[in-house]
Amino acid sequence: MSAVMTTGTLASAEAVLELLREWEEAGWLRSVDRALVRFLHEQAPAASPLALLLAALASHQVGRGHVCLELDALLQAPDATLALPPEGEPGSKPPPRPSSVLQGVSVAQVAAALQDSGLAGPGELGGTPLVYTGGQVYLRRYWESERRIGQAIRARLADREAWQGALDEQASRDWLDHLFGPPAEAATDPDWQRLACALAAGSGFSVITGGPGTGKTTTVLRLLALLQGLQGPDDPLRIRLAAPTGKAAARLNASVSGALDRLGLDQLPDGDALRRNLPAEVVTVHRLLGARPDTRHFRHGARNPLAVDVLVVDEASMIDLELMASLVEAVPRTARLILLGDRDQLASVEAGAVLGELCHRAGGGHYTPSTAHWLEAVTGMAVPAAMQDAAGQALDQHIVMLRESHRFGADSGIGRLAAAVNTGEALNGPDGDDAVRQKVLAGPEDPVLVTLAVDGRADTPEGEAVGYAGYLEGLRAARPAPAAPRAAWEDWARDVLAAHGRFQLLCAVRRGPWGLETLNRRVAAALQARGLLAGDAGRMDGPGAGGQWVEGRPVIVTRNDYALGLINGDIGIALAVPAWLARGEPEADSDATKGEDSVLRVAFLAAGDGGRVRWVLPNRLEAIETAFALTVHKAQGSEFEHVALVLPDADSPILTRELAYTAITRASRWFSLLEPRAGTLVAASQHQIRRSGGLRRWLGDAS
């Protein structure tokens, strides 16, 4: 027994429960972590105090996005592994820290405590609530999800030769020439989009990763055109497009429409039929799978697979472990599953970093000589020798990384800043903040860092006013007449939503002087002071429908509402509309509606609705928040012309390279950085998220 254990800290289950209570009060643990231990103690009263403590810490790690608790890391650096704050509040007496509680505890003691507790066992045997394997402690349901993903993907990797054998290489090359043009003879670097199309066509599972603007959407549409062209005009493939959130689905929907117009399909053989057979609608993953309200279960799964031939899922970095497990099992082995996403973005809010684990070797290619030979035969382009690896793993042969950004060039301000933050190296030097400014300021022809007022109104170097003041001014100036047709009101609502979406204030934390809650109040107060917004800023940001409703208030849906057809991440704006429109009448009756007051409805453009505006009664919205400011996590899957990132003035484990990179790359034209404390961005770039999990172990020997 360690010295700490003999002093009483871990002497009994009651002592552990008291310790967890103190940790919860200090904000170190969630209430659910302690509740789990109370339940386990009731079910297994003989379980050792150390085993109960490890259960709490495994649950705590899940709350931080990890799939499991890494025991070696825990025992070597407990406080850092658990991401606890460096010290308590000034003047307060903090509870014992994990570093003191676990001092002297060995891996052998941990293993014995878990094995003797009755709470943990190997994953394949029994139904213990914890799984202890390979030096990792899992809550069982997360081990099960990881196993399901690993087994489903391994099975697909094993089918690669069959998929490639079924593909007509010459016909594929002809179609690639139609879609991309013949390969340039003098090209020194391959067209990675072309290679991605070929690799995905010859596989039942593939991942296409790349930063913003690298052409993932265009690539996958060319891939779908290739597959449908090979299939023939009279035999349409069952193709579905999906994204994890409503916002991401709506953005992909718009991207698909624009990309289809640019592809020039009418110039291809049977182009009209090809265009008709390609999908134009994007749905959320939850809607695709048939989510059952108030449960984690779906209508579609291994026993009731989706009726698809090809499934494309965008923004896959946002998909957590459990949802990915349900997704991969719902796709039949006879169908292609294609994941798109940026491996460098923030992972999902929930536990897991599936895309990051799948793509951890993507930068180096690691294509075997046989894969390289096959790709050259199909595409006419050689895989660079530096990207080939005779010892390449099976998974490597299914991953392609796109490397050239078309949204902003590598030499643009945003591109250079994103690259600098993503590597961390360019900012880790004696220049400090000066290095950041050199990366951001790219000269007068590439304005990135612009002046931002507190209300979000900014005059860019190009003279355009963007921000929240702009959408509120436009809201008033373009309001239709009360008797205008419904189409005019819907066009107006779409324009207001689009204007609001040009600019977004992002923050890293929810609380504190530079957190979400404070910034929402400050922005609302500033807009009210200018006469652009009515109401009381202090009452507007109440949770749910209880907050004060005024015209122009933007809100974000924080939980799926299937009754209203709204998905977590959907953005709406409260607008004053005629009573006849709110009642759902097709048009105004000038005599009957004279003298009627306008009423507030929240306008949404929900995914899968073909751009139709949904007018929702504010009182029906139960899970929403004011959205002048959004957390970076909530902004994933979105793109704005101008992004302003507000960083906090205190250290936080939330401040990471991935968070900064995700925020910066939400901007397409301008990026503003607001640092109450200089050097925060530089510090964040040095901290990289490393989520614990074992998915690679499931896939590592698949070859």
Side-chain angles (χ1 to χ4, degrees):
M1 298 290 285
S2 73
V4 174
M5 293 176 71
T6 59
T7 63
T9 307
L10 294 178
S12 67
E14 289 70 23
V16 168
L17 288 170
E18 175 60 21
L19 176 66
L20 298 182
R21 183 192 63 78
E22 295 180 27
W23 285 359
E24 181 186 346
E25 289 181 354
W28 296 355
L29 285 186
R30 304 171 298 167
S31 59
V32 69
D33 304 328
R34 187 161 70 99
L36 171 66
V37 174
R38 287 200 303 267
F39 173 76
L40 294 178
H41 177 51
E42 292 172 0
Q43 300 300 310
S48 72
L50 180 55
L52 293 174
L53 177 65
L54 292 169
L57 299 183
S59 179
H60 165 79
Q61 292 296 77
V62 166
R64 294 183 51 238
H66 297 285
V67 176
C68 61
L69 174 66
E70 299 277 358
L71 293 181
D72 281 345
L74 174 71
L75 296 180
Q76 290 174 15
D79 297 348
T81 300
L82 301 172
L84 298 187
E87 56 188 21
E89 293 293 328
S92 65
K93 182 182 178 181
R97 299 182 70 81
S99 53
S100 64
V101 173
L102 293 169
Q103 183 179 3
V105 176
S106 68
V107 173
Q109 286 177 305
V110 169
L114 289 170
Q115 291 166 358
D116 297 341
S117 67
L119 299 178
E124 295 82 355
L125 301 174
T128 55
L130 303 179
V131 171
Y132 173 49
T133 178
Q136 299 170 322
V137 181
Y138 289 81
L139 301 185
R140 174 166 288 277
R141 79 186 228 210
Y142 294 98
W143 181 88
E144 284 285 352
S145 294
E146 197 172 79
R147 177 189 63 81
R148 290 160 57 198
I149 294 172
Q151 290 184 345
I153 293 180
R154 279 173 65 95
R156 290 180 174 275
L157 302 187
D159 293 340
R160 184 165 64 99
E161 289 187 6
W163 282 98
Q164 289 184 354
L167 200 69
D168 186 323
E169 293 184 6
Q170 185 58 53
S172 299
R173 182 162 177 173
D174 292 342
W175 271 101
L176 288 172
D177 286 347
H178 287 313
L179 293 164
F180 288 91
E185 292 184 5
T188 56
D189 295 320
D191 184 338
W192 287 102
Q193 292 189 17
R194 187 186 188 102
L195 291 176
C197 283
L199 186 142
S203 173
F205 173 76
S206 55
V207 181
I208 300 174
T209 187
T214 50
K216 295 185 292 292
T217 303
T218 301
T219 300
V220 83
L221 286 176
R222 283 175 167 153
L223 167 63
L224 297 178
L226 164 65
L227 296 175
Q228 186 59 66
L230 293 171
Q231 186 80 358
D234 300 325
D235 188 12
L237 292 168
R238 297 171 299 174
I239 302 172
R240 300 296 301 273
L241 304 177
T245 67
K247 186 80 171 179
R251 180 180 165 205
L252 179 59
N253 213 48
S255 298
V256 166
S257 298
L260 282 174
D261 292 338
R262 293 191 299 272
L263 283 182
L265 297 179
D266 55 334
Q267 305 299 318
L268 300 179
D270 299 311
D272 291 340
L274 188 61
R275 176 66 182 262
R276 288 194 305 270
N277 290 334
L278 293 184
E281 182 185 35
V282 185
V283 298
T284 64
V285 174
H286 285 83
R287 187 168 288 138
L288 173 78
L289 296 179
R292 295 176 176 173
D294 303 320
T295 76
R296 297 195 309 270
H297 303 294
F298 298 94
R299 187 169 67 252
H300 291 288
R303 296 183 179 179
N304 181 28
L306 294 163
V308 295
D309 297 310
V310 183
L311 174 61
V312 177
V313 183
D314 195 19
E315 297 291 352
S317 65
M318 300 170 65
I319 301 179
D320 63 82
L321 188 79
E322 290 191 286
L323 183 57
M324 186 66 81
S326 297
L327 178 68
V328 296
E329 287 186 335
V331 182
R333 287 273 293 274
T334 56
R336 289 178 173 89
L337 172 59
I338 302 155
L339 303 181
L340 308 180
D342 185 347
R343 66 170 188 166
D344 296 317
Q345 280 190 187
L346 281 167
S348 62
V349 176
E350 304 296 331
V354 179
L355 187 75
E357 289 201 69
L358 293 175
C359 297
H360 73 287
R361 286 161 54 94
H366 299 284
Y367 301 113
T368 62
S370 62
T371 297
H373 177 76
W374 184 85
L375 283 172
E376 184 170 2
V378 174
T379 66
M381 307 196 81
V383 175
M387 295 292 170
Q388 297 187 38
D389 180 359
Q393 299 173 3
L395 179 62
D396 299 329
Q397 317 313 305
H398 297 254
I399 314 291
V400 175
M401 181 174 174
L402 305 182
R403 300 159 194 271
E404 181 181 355
S405 176
H406 304 282
R407 181 188 301 176
F408 39 76
D411 293 332
S412 73
I414 292 177
R416 291 205 314 277
L417 178 62
V421 166
N422 203 24
T423 62
E425 298 174 1
L427 305 183
N428 187 19
D431 295 333
D433 294 328
D434 289 338
V436 175
R437 294 197 173 277
Q438 291 170 11
K439 295 292 178 184
V440 176
L441 295 173
E445 295 182 358
D446 186 13
V448 177
L449 188 66
V450 298
T451 304
L452 181 75
V454 70
D455 64 355
R457 173 70 178 254
D459 292 322
T460 70
E462 294 182 9
E464 295 186 49
V466 295
Y468 298 139
Y471 92 85
L472 290 169
E473 290 168 350
L475 180 158
R476 295 181 177 184
R479 186 191 306 278
R486 175 176 288 272
W489 283 98
E490 294 198 350
D491 287 344
W492 172 69
R494 276 189 284 268
D495 290 343
V496 171
L497 286 163
H500 171 269
R502 293 183 62 204
F503 169 81
Q504 186 61 58
L505 188 65
L506 300 182
C507 53
V509 297
R510 293 188 62 86
R511 295 179 177 83
W514 303 103
L516 176 86
E517 297 168 357
T518 301
L519 289 172
N520 268 320
R521 288 194 296 271
R522 289 180 63 186
V523 172
L527 293 169
Q528 288 161 355
R530 292 181 57 176
L532 294 170
L533 196 68
D536 179 353
R539 296 172 53 207
M540 190 175 299
D541 62 345
Q548 187 181 57
W549 285 100
V550 297
E551 185 172 42
R553 177 191 179 191
V555 294
I556 183 169
V557 177
T558 59
R559 188 176 66 239
N560 295 342
D561 189 329
Y562 299 105
L564 295 176
L566 299 176
I567 300 298
N568 185 2
D570 284 345
I571 297 274
I573 296 178
L575 298 174
V577 299
W580 64 266
L581 186 144
R583 290 194 297 265
E585 296 173 7
E587 60 184 21
D589 183 328
S590 56
D591 293 329
T593 58
K594 277 183 180 178
E596 282 190 337
D597 293 332
S598 59
V599 296
L600 281 181
R601 291 294 183 268
V602 186
F604 288 93
L605 283 179
D609 243 5
R612 184 174 65 86
V613 176
R614 294 189 186 182
W615 303 99
V616 180
L617 186 70
N619 288 342
R620 294 195 65 191
L621 294 169
E622 297 181 355
I624 51 95
E625 293 177 343
T626 301
F628 288 117
L630 294 179
T631 62
V632 178
H633 266 105
K634 284 292 186 183
Q636 277 190 269
S638 301
E639 178 185 332
F640 311 96
E641 290 186 10
H642 179 191
V643 163
L645 173 63
V646 182
L647 295 175
D649 56 357
D651 289 330
S652 169
I654 292 174
L655 297 177
T656 63
R657 177 182 304 177
E658 291 81 0
L659 181 135
Y661 171 83
T662 300
I664 293 164
T665 54
R666 297 311 90 205
S668 62
R669 299 179 69 185
W670 302 293
F671 174 76
S672 298
L673 174 64
L674 289 83
E675 285 185 308
R677 186 185 65 180
T680 307
L681 179 65
V682 174
S685 74
Q686 306 308 308
H687 298 288
Q688 192 170 8
I689 295 174
R690 298 189 183 278
R691 287 193 169 179
S692 298
L695 183 57
R696 297 182 199 175
R697 185 173 61 246
W698 285 101
L699 299 172
D701 61 349
S703 58

